[in-house]
Every structure is written in C-alpha cells, then in structure tokens.
Amino acid sequence: MQHELILILDFGSQYTQLIARRVREQGVYCEIHPFNLSVETIAAKRPKGVILSGGPSSVTDEDAPRVKDTFYSEIDVPLLGICYGMQMVAVDLGGSNEPAMRREYGRAKLKVLSGRTALFEGLPFELDVWMSHGDHVTNVPSGFEITATTGEVITAIENPERGIYCVQFHPEVSHTPLGKEILRNFLFNICGCTGDWTPASFIKEEVERVRETVGPTGKVVCGLSGGVDSTVAAVLVHEAIGDRQTCIFVNNGLLRYREFEDTLEVYETNLHLNVRGVDASQEFYSALSGSFEPEQKRKIIGAKFIDIFDAEAKTVGGAKWLVQGTLYPDVIESVSLRGTSVTIKSHHNVGGLPEKMDLGLIEPLRELFKDEVRAIGRDLGIPELILERHPFPGPGLGVRILGDITPEKVELLQKADKIFVEELHNFDLYNDVWQAFTVLLPIQSVGVMGDFRTYEKTVAVRAVTSTDGMTADWARLPHDFLAKVSSRITSEVRGVNRVVYDISSKPPSTIEWE
Ligand code: XMP
C-alpha cells in the first residue's frame, strides 16, 4: 500500500531527524533525503508536501546548499521552509536575506499578524518559539506576505496561492510548545494528509513484505543480541515465516550478569522464537588474552563473533537471508556540510557479516526510529525487560574492563553492575538515565577492613542522560542513592575497596571509558 508521504530535504540541521519524528508522530510517513535530491526523483515519489530543513550555512555563502533550479517550478505540492529553508526560499524567489547584527538563539515571543493563515490556524496570536539563526529575511519575495514577527525579525512568510509557507523558528523542538500544532496544520490543513501510517499498519505490511521476499520455503538466520532492535526484527520475521527463521544468540562472555541465560529464556518461553544459544565465552577469553588496547580488543571481539556466528549459521543449511535490526538513522544519507567526520571508535563491530556469509539482507526496521521500534515491540508483546533496557555496546564488558580481560575480572564487574542496576530500579531511577553501568579500573588502591590494610580494585560508576548518545551529560543522581550503591559494591563484591562516580560529560569525554 502506498502511504501518504512527506519528503524532508536535509540542509544539515541538527534537528532534521527530529522533524521526521514529529511528522511521524502525527501518523504521517516521511523520509529524509539530501537537499540535492533530483527534482525528477522528488516528483516520482509523489509526496503530499516537502519540508526544507534548517542548516548551519548562510544563503549568502558561495557554496551554500541549494535546491535545483527547477525545484520551484516543477514541484507543485506545498512547501514548508524552516530556518535556513525559509532564508533560501526567500532569496531564491526574489526576496533578500542578511546576516543579523547578532545571532538570535533561544526562546522568543512570536506575534501572528494575520488571522487568516492556515499555518497558524487555531493558535493564539502570541506564541513562544525557539530560534537559532544568524541570518534573517529582510525583504519578502513578491506574492508573499509576512504572517508573523518576533519584534524586528520577520519570522513567518507565506504565499498560499503557491502553497509555500516558511518559518524562521523551529517548530520541531520541544521549546516551541505549540510546534506540534503548527506542523499538524501544515500536514493536515495544507498538504491534505489524513494520517494513514501507524505501527500496527507497519507490522502488517512488513510481515507481508518479508513473506514475499523469503518465499514459501526460504530460510533465514538472525543474530540476536538481547537488545531491542534485533529482538523486534526477529519477532516480526517470526510472525512472517515462523520457524523457518533460526535465531542465533552468542554469549561472548562479556554480557551482563545472567543476561545470556535470562534473555535466552525470554526468547524461548515468551517469544517462542526458534533460537540457538551458543556459549562461546571461553573462546572469546582465549582470543582476548593479553590484549590491552581498546581498538584491538574491539577488533578481536568483532572478528570472533563473525567466525562463531558463521560456523553456527552454516549448520542451519539452506539459509539465504540474514535478518538485521538496522534502524533509519543508520541508513539516512547524511549531509555532511562540515567535512568528513572522524571515526572516533569503530562502533560497527559486526560490519562485514553479510558479505562474508554471502547472504541477502532482510532489514525490517530500516525505515524506523528507535522510539517507533519500541512502540512496535510493545504491540508485538515483547517484554519491557528487553524494550526498556539501556543500550549496551557490542563488545559489552570488554570495553568496561580497562586493560586486559580475564574471566575473574568479568565476574567481578558483572556483580558490581548488577548491584548498580538493581538499585537504580529500587530507587525508580533506571528510566531517568540513558545508560548506567560500572567500569573496572586497572588500578589498585589502599583501604582498611577491620584491623587490616587492603590493597584492592576500584570500580567507577557511570550514569548519563542523553537523547541519542552523541552528546551526554553525567546524571545528577541523589547522594543517598550513590551511597547505597557504593556501600553495597564494597561489601558484596570481593576484591573492590573503592567506588568512584564519573562526573564527566560528552564531549569532551565519551560515554564508555574505552
Ligand atoms: P561513546 O563511548 O562513543 O558511546 O560515547 C556512544 C554510545 O555508543 C555505545 N558504544 C558502542 N556500541 N559498539 C557498540 O555497539 C561499540 O564498540 C561501542 N562503543 C560505544 C555506547 O555504549 C554509547 O551508547
């Protein structure tokens, strides 16, 4: 079924994905594409409307990103220009734009000037909005009228005959409290969308698509990690083809306390997946023995995983497809206006798996954002234990044991981590943080126990708040809570006599310690 579609052209704004999520929250499917998508491709997709995102450039820059020359004449569906998108539309259609004396950043009061504008229909004449711009529009193109201002600044313009609407502020961020209504007006009143996209319809269509791809007798393999993405992908595919999917869950010996056993039980008993648990802990420990360097450890863990998964998958016989829980943010073609970004860590630990195994890919979640995957997971009956679990890196505790890895250190860290997570639940703090874990430091320090002097290990406790892991702030957890965690770890985990709390944010630190 062809759904109503909104296209978002990305000019490099940090908020582009947020625009997409806001649109989808209204039940309207949308896609993000680079700003220079060809006009023919845009037309062929038959969108109900196009949104032009913000971006860091100035329209006056020589190499500023622009739509193709024929864009305005060929694309005859409604347009919404946001921030940079507004400035570009104004200049392209004969208006002008100038750098402001100072950058306007933060909250502003917007005054709607016209009572007739469809974009602000049903809204008060004064609204709080969020601004973040250097340039602003100084002359509007002919045929356009100014519909809102914030003091001196022209904040919204439109040409309803041509279906073009522009705002200088960001309706997609939560600091614009009525932004949702503004986007709703654009989608429903102006573009004529009805909102025909829901998680339930997604599941139904995706199940159908997987069935068609795999055919009536085809077999697939799926790597489970215990995380949300791979679990939801596996359950969807199970709905489609049942036990013709073989799931493989590898224990690399670097999972959390009892995670392998407990998750396997959920896969088998609650979700009825056809799953094989492969406990390869010892093989990983042997391969890692004597390695201290973080990137080297990551590479060893990644390579070993591929070997073990591949060997197990071969015993399935006749599988032609590999299921992966790839999400939309991994496949959006990103617009890098600031040069190529530097790889800080090799996060894609198992990249190369499909190539090595010569399998086709099934990625049922590749159009979805994480929160949508969770919603679908809920509809599919996946337990909260899996849906709400904090993100966990592929190399697991391997990057939380600084220096070399031994089974004894893993056991110690698993115990400390279990206490931390248990207490987060007890204090009802688990869902307030993005990620929380313990780190085993490669140092010993002096302590006392009774009449004895001890010389033992230090555990660092790390908890951060974040929305996407790209930036993060250390969590301001209550002192009483930290006291409880510290006293339990030092008394219950043999070999630890000191607990420290990490108060670093990202940047300049990273979330993980390695
Ligand atoms: P950093 O430490 O780079 O982490 O601030 C950002 C997010 O990525 C996770 N992370 C990884 N995930 N393989 C993964 O699958 C890795 O090697 C890896 N290193 C970090 C980290 O847990 C956080 O959520």
Side-chain angles (χ1 to χ4, degrees):
M1 176 188 163
Q2 172 75 38
H3 286 286
E4 294 165 347
L5 170 70
I6 294 289
L7 278 188
I8 299 170
L9 296 185
D10 181 19
F11 292 85
S13 166
Q14 57 174 326
Y15 299 131
T16 304
Q17 292 193 21
L18 205 52
I19 303 175
R21 284 166 55 192
R22 294 288 166 266
V23 170
R24 290 187 184 189
E25 275 166 19
Q26 311 273 351
V28 177
Y29 182 66
C30 63
E31 290 176 1
I32 298 174
H33 291 278
F35 64 90
N36 53 5
L37 188 69
S38 81
V39 171
E40 295 73 39
T41 311
I42 298 175
K45 286 181 170 284
R46 301 162 61 87
K48 299 281 283 181
V50 177
I51 299 180
L52 309 167
S53 86
S57 311
S58 166
V59 190
T60 48
D61 293 346
E62 220 169 277
D63 54 355
R66 305 296 272 264
V67 287
K68 307 277 179 198
D69 290 343
T70 51
F71 177 78
Y72 301 97
S73 53
E74 305 269 314
I75 302 299
D76 60 357
V77 294
L79 300 183
L80 175 64
I82 297 178
C83 197
Y84 176 85
M86 161 161 169
Q87 295 154 9
M88 183 190 68
V89 169
V91 171
D92 285 351
L93 299 181
S96 60
N97 171 69
E98 277 173 19
M101 296 294 281
R102 64 176 175 82
R103 211 183 144 70
E104 191 179 8
Y105 182 82
R107 278 175 226 276
K109 274 258 181 276
L110 170 130
K111 277 201 169 51
V112 181
L113 303 180
S114 156
R116 288 174 294 119
T117 162
L119 195 63
F120 295 100
E121 196 186 297
L123 295 172
F125 283 99
E126 229 184 62
L127 322 172
D128 290 325
V129 296
W130 182 259
M131 298 282 231
S132 170
H133 63 111
D135 294 6
H136 60 100
V137 172
T138 41
N139 279 309
V140 299
S142 83
F144 278 72
E145 76 173 302
I146 301 173
T147 50
T149 64
T150 45
E152 316 279 84
V153 179
I154 299 175
T155 315
I157 58 173
E158 67 181 45
N159 180 337
E161 281 74 47
R162 292 185 67 174
I164 303 181
Y165 298 78
C166 297
V167 294
Q168 182 56 71
F169 61 92
H170 290 275
E172 68 276 19
V173 304
S174 59
H175 301 305
T176 301
L178 293 174
K180 189 173 158 189
E181 278 66 29
I182 295 169
L183 286 174
R184 228 187 130 71
N185 281 340
F186 178 69
L187 299 172
F188 293 82
N189 297 355
I190 296 170
C191 299
C193 293
T194 56
D196 64 359
W197 192 75
T198 59
S201 70
F202 173 86
I203 293 173
K204 195 158 157 274
E205 287 159 27
E206 205 50 43
V207 163
E208 214 34 65
R209 184 145 49 162
V210 171
R211 257 186 216 136
E212 252 167 52
T213 311
V214 178
T217 56
K219 286 192 192 170
V220 311
V221 286
C222 170
L224 288 172
S225 71
V228 183
D229 310 342
S230 63
T231 306
V232 175
V235 172
L236 252 179
V237 172
H238 184 78
E239 295 262 315
I241 59 165
D243 286 352
R244 284 188 285 133
Q245 166 180 247
T246 304
C247 300
I248 299 170
F249 181 28
V250 175
N251 185 5
N252 60 8
L254 302 165
L255 302 177
R256 289 164 284 205
Y257 181 78
R258 281 194 57 83
E259 183 170 7
F260 181 64
E261 295 79 2
D262 293 349
T263 313
L264 198 55
E265 161 96 22
V266 171
Y267 286 149
E268 284 170 343
T269 314
N270 301 42
L271 301 175
H272 311 293
L273 293 174
N274 169 19
V275 58
R276 298 188 189 173
V278 183
D279 187 357
S281 308
Q282 294 309 326
E283 282 184 60
F284 280 85
Y285 297 150
S286 311
L288 282 164
S289 161
S291 293
F292 287 79
E293 207 273 317
E295 278 302 277
Q296 192 195 5
K297 292 197 289 183
R298 273 197 173 76
K299 292 211 166 80
I300 293 172
I301 297 167
K304 190 97 234 131
F305 176 83
I306 292 181
D307 283 351
I308 289 173
F309 188 89
D310 187 31
E312 186 66 31
K314 286 215 169 84
T315 69
V316 171
K320 295 264 183 313
W321 305 91
L322 175 70
V323 178
Q324 284 197 331
T326 317
L327 302 190
Y328 195 46
D330 304 327
V331 298
I332 296 171
E333 214 180 309
S334 69
V335 175
S336 178
L337 301 171
R338 301 183 190 83
T340 42
S341 60
V342 188
T343 309
I344 299 176
K345 290 177 185 175
S346 54
H347 276 195
H348 293 283
N349 327 288
V350 295
L353 189 59
E355 291 84 347
K356 166 158 181 155
M357 299 178 64
D358 195 21
L359 296 173
L361 271 187
I362 294 184
E363 298 176 307
L365 312 178
R366 61 180 282 128
E367 288 169 3
L368 301 183
F369 290 106
K370 190 95 174 184
D371 39 1
E372 295 164 344
V373 171
R374 284 210 180 89
I376 283 164
R378 241 165 237 129
D379 276 12
L380 288 168
I382 295 173
E384 289 300 311
L385 167 77
I386 290 180
L387 295 181
E388 286 300 338
R389 195 140 63 184
H390 291 161
F392 189 62
L397 302 184
V399 291
R400 295 178 180 171
I401 294 171
L402 271 53
D404 69 325
I405 294 166
T406 63
E408 296 72 32
K409 289 184 188 172
V410 171
E411 200 186 327
L412 183 153
L413 190 58
Q414 282 178 334
K415 283 186 185 152
D417 199 69
K418 168 178 171 273
I419 293 172
F420 186 31
V421 171
E422 229 167 59
E423 290 303 333
L424 281 166
H425 283 297
N426 290 345
F427 280 70
D428 210 11
L429 292 167
Y430 187 83
N431 291 326
D432 293 351
V433 295
W434 159 266
Q435 241 177 329
F437 53 88
T438 53
V439 182
L440 182 60
L441 305 189
I443 53 163
Q444 284 174 283
S445 71
V446 174
V448 300
M449 195 185 297
D451 296 335
F452 296 98
R453 179 180 178 280
T454 59
Y455 187 56
E456 289 182 326
K457 295 194 168 63
T458 301
V459 162
V461 174
R462 176 90 164 127
V464 295
T465 53
S466 175
T467 49
D468 53 11
M470 303 294 280
T471 59
D473 200 5
W474 60 276
R476 284 16 178 208
L477 295 176
H479 288 177
D480 289 353
F481 164 78
L482 292 171
K484 181 81 187 281
V485 171
S486 160
S487 95
R488 276 197 65 194
I489 292 178
T490 45
S491 63
E492 294 175 37
V493 185
R494 188 178 279 244
V496 177
N497 67 352
R498 195 173 292 273
V499 175
V500 295
Y501 188 51
D502 181 352
I503 53 167
S504 333
S505 293
K506 172 182 180 177
S509 301
T510 49
I511 296 176
E512 304 290 346
W513 276 49
E514 279 194 339

